Amino acid sequence: MRQRHSDPVEFAAAAAALGEEFQAIGEHAAAEDVLRRAVAVFERAGEPGDARLAAALSALGAACAARGHLDEAERLFRRALRITGTTQEER
């Protein structure tokens, strides 16, 4: 996937949406690849506490879990929760 957007955060948002679509149709490897790219761009160009980064991390966690990478999935989910400030006690 080549970046063609002038705004990197816009590119990351589009990539995250594509990754979620891949995930929805069961293409977990493709989802993981695209979501990793989205997360990397959000990390470089976005705000550290950006909810879109948290959503991309969560989606990446789901893709990793679907592929059996459970330790990595847990790390990604925990990082997403730290960004959103959501804890089990708050629910």
Side-chain angles (χ1 to χ4, degrees):
M1 174 183 297
R2 292 188 184 149
Q3 184 173 346
R4 295 179 192 258
H5 292 275
S6 59
D7 179 2
V9 174
E10 182 182 312
F11 167 80
L18 178 61
E20 290 177 13
E21 290 300 318
F22 279 135
Q23 182 76 354
I25 62 171
E27 294 291 336
H28 306 298
E32 183 179 344
D33 180 55
V34 173
L35 289 163
R36 284 190 191 284
R37 293 170 192 251
V39 166
V41 174
F42 276 132
E43 288 174 334
R44 283 193 309 272
E47 299 284 322
D50 191 329
R52 294 172 296 184
L53 172 58
L57 287 165
S58 183
L60 178 56
C64 289
R67 298 193 66 215
H69 307 151
L70 301 181
D71 289 340
E72 182 176 11
E74 180 180 8
R75 284 191 300 276
L76 291 162
F77 288 137
R78 288 185 184 278
R79 185 169 167 214
L81 288 172
R82 280 193 306 273
I83 290 170
T84 62
T86 305
T87 65
Q88 188 68 18
E89 295 78 35
E90 293 173 352
R91 289 186 211 156

